[in-house]
Every structure is written in C-alpha cells, then in structure tokens.
Amino acid sequence: MCLWSSAARAAEVPTVVLTSAATGVSLVGRTGVLVDTQGDMDIASVRTTAVDALFAVPGKLIQQAGLDGHARWFKFQLRQTGEEGAWLIDSNQSAAREIQVFGPFDAQGRALAAPVDIGFLSASAMSSLGGNRAVYRFSLEQPGDYTVYLRVASYFPEYFAFTVWDAAVFGQAEQGWSLFHGICYGFLLAMVATNLVLLLVFRDAMYSHNFLASMFALLTLTAINGHLARYLLPGARSWVPYILSAAIPLWVTFAGLFSLRFLALEEHARRLDQWTRRVLVLGPVAAVLALMGWFPLSLLLTQAIGLFVPCLMWWGGFVVLRRGGPPARWYFAGLTLLDLSAVGTVLNIYGVLKLSFPYLLLQLGAVVETLVFAIAIGSRILRIHRLNGELGLRTQQLSAAAHTDALTGIYNRAGWTQHAPQLIAHAGSSALLLIDLDHFKPVNDQFGHAAGDAVLCSVAKRLGTEVRGRGIVARLGGDEFVVLLSGRLDRKQLVLQAQNLILLISQPVPYQGQLLNVGASVGIARYPKDGAALPELMNAADRAMYYVKERGRAGFAFMEDVKAAASMPAGLESATG
C-alpha cells in the first residue's frame, strides 16, 4: 500500500538535462516522490502504470514528516545529449539506513545496471568517488532519456535534496566542502583541547561539562556529515545511528550543565536552575533509549530537550545579564546563536521552516557558539584572575619553564636531571644516546645565530617525533642533545635506532632559501650494564661519543666498543680502526 504525502499533486516528473555545471544540477522541484507506508513495494510494482501515476513532484525541499519511518520512492527523469558521460546522483544523505538504486532504465524500459544499495549499512556505502555522503555513480553510453528510481528508508527525520553531477566536477566541488568541514572541526577540536587544559588547571567541573559538550557536538556533526562512518568506523557503520541518536541529547545535556555552572544560575534564579536540571535528566534517558535501538522515542525526547533546554538557558542568561554578570554578555550572544540554529533545526523537521540545508545551519551555529563561548570563558577566567590573583598559575608556569629549553621546547638540563632518573627507575632497563652535532659551528659562523637556532629547533623536533612514547629527549646545552629510551633493547635494535637518528639529523634544514646541513656523533650507554645511575651512564655515553669524534665523526659507538678498544694493544687498535 502506498500514498504520496505532499502539497503537490500527482504529476509527470520533469526531464532534467545532464550538464557539467560547476554546482551540479539541482533536482529539487524536479523529483518524483511516493511514500510507501507499509514498505512492501518493489521496483516492479512501482514501475507499473497505475503506481507510476501516483508520483508527486513537490516544488520545494522534500521533508520526512516527523518520525513516520516510511519508505520513500524517488523518481528522476534524466536526458543525456552527448555521446557518453559519467554521472552521479548525490543523495545528500550520510546516515540513511537504506538507499536502494534501480536503473538507469532506458526509453525501452531496459535496466542498464543491476540494483545496488548505497545506504550506510551496505558494502558499497559512500564508495563512489570517495564521497562522504551516499552517492550513486553511473555511466551512459549514448544520448537519450533515462529513468532512475531510489528507495530510501531512514531511522531519522531526513531532508531530501538530490543533485545530479558530472562525476569529475563533483570530485572538485567536494574539496571545497572538505575544507569547510575541516575548519569547523578544527574550531571544535580547539574547544575540546582548551577545555581539557582548563580542566587540568582549574579542576572545575564546568570545564568537564563543556569538554564533553564539545566532544558530543563534534561526534554529532561528523556523523551527520558522513565522516564518522567513512573514516572512523568504516567497518562498523551499523553503530552510526546508535551513536548519532545518543550523541545529540548528550550534547544538549552537557551544554546545559555547563551553562548552569557558568552562569551560577542557582545563585541568581534557583527555581529556574531546578527546572532546567529536571529537563536535562531527559538527555541521558534519550541516549540510553537510542543505544537500545528505540529510535522514535529517543528522537522525540531529544527534540523536546532541543527545544526546551535552549529556551531555559536563554532565559537564564537574560536573568544573569540583567543582574550585571560580565561574562553573561558573551555567553548570552553565543547561546542566542546556538538556540536559533537548534530550534530552527527542530522546526524544520516538522515542516514549519523550509530550509534546504538544515544540518548545515546547526553546524554553523555550533561553530559560532564555540567561538563566542571561548570568549565568554576567557572573560570569566580573566575575572577569576582579577579576584583571586595569578599566583598558583604563575608558579606552575615557572616550574614548567625551569625544566624546559626556551629555544626548542624540550627538556633542558634541569628537566633532564629530574625526569631521566624516574624513567630509568621505572623502566628497569634502558639505553642512553648522547648526541653531539657535527659541523654546527660553521653554520653559526656562515649564516648567523638565527640559522643555528633554526637547526637546533629542527633537530629537537625530529628527535621528539622519533622518540615519542618510548622515552624522553633533552637539550643539555649548545649543540648537545640526549635521548633516553625505556625498555629492554638489544644491540641490533640500538644500532638501527642510532642509524635512524643520525639519518634524521643529517636531513637538510631549510632556512631563508638555503639548506643547512649538520651531522651527528652518537655515544650509547646501556643501563644497568654501563652504569647503575644517571651520572655514570652520562659519563659512559660521553666517552663513547668522543670515541666517535676521534675517528672522524658522523657515526655511533657503544661504551662496550670503547672498553674493547682500550683493552687492545695500540697497534692492533689502530689497524682495526
């Protein structure tokens, strides 16, 4: 059984001429739609004359009304004027459960391709041209009129705005969208990192709430845009509807908790604070229902808190603003923007608004809100500093600075002296590599100290990247660095490591159009074999390093090599060398 639920009457679907337009060819107002209320129709029945006559052609964006869960059939009439072409239909969907494609059918009704499912659960999901949304790619070998049918079923309220593209043009256009999404994600990631740092510094639950709100906002947007399924969960796309349905109410919940604490609403409007907390309880409930697969009920609760919580928070911000709370000005501005986007998205679901890109509105609102909230948080922090002083924070900063090399950002000698013994004691077995740069003085003499600083910073960065997670790096002074690797490493492994470090250091350093070159001499000492404490290890590695220097530089030596050479007769050692 089927029906078409649209303001438009049943009409013939207009034919769309395929072109290589830079923005694609919009199919809005040129798409036939048929609602299958029971979900039991197949392509054969849809293509019968009686059912085909029921397709309506809405003049605007096609919206799924509420949470009906019905399957929808879409029909496109396409005309190719050239001899051969490669095309694709962009569904503008990233989390639709099923998107089955039938066709294209030629004018004689012959199917030119087998049916395919490009919904997010299918093996072919988002594979065509590497898009982040579900797209269907097809080729036509000759001019003529063709028909394509799509059957779509989704867990969520959807907005259907199809576009047909030249395949090559689509790939170019997607690069611009990728840049836009990257910028948006960058802002949200910056907010996540900022709140994590603030949480570690101030130990205030408010920052944990904003951290979690930003995380769930990021999770929501990546799921809506298709990046979560494509890049993070390519082998577990079935999780996406559960994650998306749970992330949205948790985003609203933690954003609300952040707002309550940021505004100190309990002090200014106790009753409003209590009512808001009661409504926020629905967020975790909606998330649990989503994880259990009860999507309709979960989405109804999510939409309820999506409407009520922003309104309550807006009113709370207004109350605090009237009472002269300085940070409330920025907060109120940011919340207003987010509220408008959130409420607008919910209203769009039920057809009150007719927006072509509703989730884009939510994404922009979230990003702008993030920026303004960052300013609001900064304003609050400055106020706290003025009231309570900066002594504690300054002490931490001075302590960190005392153990950090100001030029390179890695440990200095003091930091090395403090952290290296801890690592040695914890690891039980370790290796120390003392590194002295070769030919560094000529760089300073010929190009100046700024060039030498550039070399030191580059070397420090390369060493840090190479050793990350396996040990620590420090600059002892001048052009001398030291690396401490934790864990049991045999001689063969250390040889490979030393060769790799020398190779990294010897890579040219670009500086003002010049390529600066240095080498490295490396002395290696192992704990506990070459020393039972850090000073003994340093002395052993230093002897090994100078052993390399005496024999022409640009190499490495173990302390055991030095001992072995020292035990040889002088003539034999010379011959061996």
Side-chain angles (χ1 to χ4, degrees):
M1 180 179 181
C2 66
L3 57 88
W4 53 269
S5 54
S6 172
R9 295 183 177 181
E12 183 177 352
V13 179
T15 299
V16 176
V17 178
L18 298 173
T19 68
S20 299
T23 57
V25 179
S26 174
L27 298 177
V28 175
R30 294 180 278 186
T31 300
V33 59
L34 184 70
V35 181
D36 182 3
T37 57
Q38 295 183 354
D40 57 356
M41 299 187 67
D42 57 20
I43 185 61
S45 60
V46 168
R47 296 187 66 231
T48 61
T49 302
V51 176
D52 189 74
L54 297 177
F55 275 94
V57 183
K60 296 182 179 180
L61 177 76
I62 302 171
Q63 293 176 278
Q64 177 178 324
L67 301 169
D68 57 34
H70 299 156
R72 281 164 172 76
W73 286 86
F74 299 96
K75 177 183 178 181
F76 312 108
Q77 293 283 82
L78 309 175
R79 174 173 295 164
Q80 179 172 279
T81 57
E83 290 299 323
E84 185 176 358
W87 312 96
L88 66 80
I89 295 176
D90 180 6
S91 70
N92 199 36
Q93 302 294 317
S94 60
R97 183 176 74 252
E98 298 176 18
I99 305 180
Q100 295 174 303
V101 186
F102 302 90
F105 296 90
D106 63 15
Q108 288 73 43
R110 293 173 300 188
L112 304 183
V116 62
D117 187 350
I118 57 172
F120 75 88
L121 290 180
S122 70
S124 57
M126 297 173 289
S127 61
S128 179
L129 292 182
N132 298 312
R133 302 179 302 280
V135 298
Y136 174 61
R137 184 179 186 181
F138 60 98
S139 297
L140 301 176
E141 297 181 354
Q142 58 187 7
D145 291 345
Y146 301 88
T147 306
V148 177
Y149 294 90
L150 266 68
R151 181 186 184 276
V152 181
S154 178
Y155 293 116
F156 311 108
E158 299 289 0
Y159 310 86
F160 302 103
F162 298 97
T163 308
V164 62
W165 293 80
D166 179 291
V169 175
F170 176 78
Q172 298 170 2
E174 280 295 281
Q175 294 179 4
W177 280 111
S178 296
L179 177 61
F180 169 76
H181 292 311
I183 293 173
C184 292
Y185 296 159
F187 282 128
L188 290 172
L189 284 171
M191 196 63 172
V192 169
T194 299
N195 279 281
L196 183 58
V197 171
L198 293 174
L199 175 62
L200 295 175
V201 172
F202 293 104
R203 306 290 180 180
D204 190 332
M206 178 185 71
Y207 299 115
S208 68
H209 296 152
N210 205 24
F211 168 79
L212 290 171
S214 300
M215 283 291 293
F216 285 117
L218 185 62
L219 196 60
T220 298
L221 296 179
T222 55
I224 289 174
N225 292 328
H227 299 105
L228 179 65
R230 176 170 176 76
Y231 299 109
L232 300 180
L233 298 174
R237 285 192 294 267
S238 60
W239 296 1
V240 172
Y242 299 91
I243 293 174
L244 178 57
S245 297
I248 297 175
L250 292 177
W251 174 11
V252 177
T253 298
F254 285 109
L257 291 173
F258 162 76
S259 300
L260 293 177
R261 196 168 183 90
F262 180 85
L263 295 172
L265 198 59
E266 188 176 9
E267 301 175 9
H268 298 284
R270 186 178 183 86
R271 233 172 141 182
L272 180 58
D273 177 89
Q274 292 174 343
W275 274 107
T276 304
R277 291 183 184 277
R278 289 169 185 165
V279 175
L280 288 176
V281 172
L282 297 177
V285 174
V288 171
L289 291 174
L291 295 175
M292 294 173 63
W294 296 1
F295 297 115
L297 183 55
S298 172
L299 287 171
L300 283 173
L301 288 178
T302 298
Q303 291 165 8
I305 64 175
L307 283 173
F308 288 115
V309 171
C311 293
L312 291 171
M313 288 298 93
W314 188 89
W315 181 248
F318 180 72
V319 170
V320 177
L321 182 63
R322 287 188 59 187
R323 298 186 180 181
R329 289 194 296 270
W330 286 107
Y331 170 84
F332 190 72
L335 188 63
T336 299
L337 294 171
L338 183 61
D339 286 358
L340 290 174
S341 62
V343 173
T345 301
V346 174
L347 293 178
N348 211 59
I349 290 174
Y350 289 97
V352 179
L353 300 178
K354 301 289 184 181
L355 302 176
S356 300
F357 300 100
Y359 290 130
L360 179 60
L361 176 68
L362 183 62
Q363 180 166 333
L364 288 173
V367 171
V368 175
E369 172 260 354
T370 295
L371 293 176
V372 180
F373 273 17
I375 298 175
I377 291 174
S379 174
R380 184 179 189 273
I381 292 174
L382 290 176
R383 185 166 178 264
I384 292 174
H385 284 177
R386 286 194 297 268
L387 295 173
N388 302 321
E390 301 178 353
L391 181 60
L393 181 59
R394 288 178 179 175
T395 301
Q396 294 178 8
Q397 292 173 338
L398 290 173
S399 176
H403 294 89
T404 302
D405 180 59
L407 175 63
T408 63
I410 62 178
Y411 285 134
N412 57 14
R413 185 177 290 272
W416 167 259
T417 303
Q418 177 178 349
H419 293 280
Q422 298 174 2
L423 183 60
I424 291 173
H426 177 74
S429 180
S430 54
L432 188 151
L433 292 83
L434 187 63
I435 304 168
D436 189 78
L437 301 186
D438 299 330
H439 313 299
F440 178 72
K441 187 175 183 301
V443 171
N444 264 339
D445 294 342
Q446 183 176 353
F447 298 100
H449 290 288
D453 290 346
V455 170
L456 294 174
C457 291
S458 179
V459 169
K461 183 178 180 180
R462 294 172 185 177
L463 293 176
T465 302
E466 173 68 17
V467 177
R468 182 176 298 144
R470 300 184 295 126
I472 59 176
V473 180
R475 179 186 174 216
L476 300 180
D479 60 352
E480 192 172 47
F481 295 83
V482 63
V483 171
L484 182 63
L485 299 174
S486 63
R488 186 177 300 277
L489 299 172
D490 59 29
R491 182 182 176 95
K492 183 178 180 180
Q493 291 174 312
L494 288 173
V495 166
L496 292 174
Q497 182 64 81
Q499 290 172 339
N500 195 33
L501 292 179
I502 293 171
L503 180 62
L504 286 173
I505 294 171
S506 64
Q507 297 299 312
V509 177
Y511 177 76
Q512 296 184 354
Q514 301 287 332
L515 294 178
L516 310 179
N517 293 279
V518 295
S521 298
V522 182
I524 306 171
R526 287 186 278 182
Y527 172 86
K529 180 178 181 180
D530 298 320
L534 182 62
E536 298 175 14
L537 282 176
M538 289 289 291
N539 182 59
D542 187 67
R543 290 177 58 191
M545 185 265 291
Y546 275 102
Y547 180 81
V548 177
K549 291 278 189 183
E550 293 170 357
R551 282 156 178 75
R553 306 181 181 184
F556 63 90
F558 289 81
M559 180 56 193
E560 59 196 62
D561 299 334
V562 178
K563 293 178 180 178
S567 65
M568 292 182 184
L572 181 58
E573 178 189 352
S574 177
T576 304

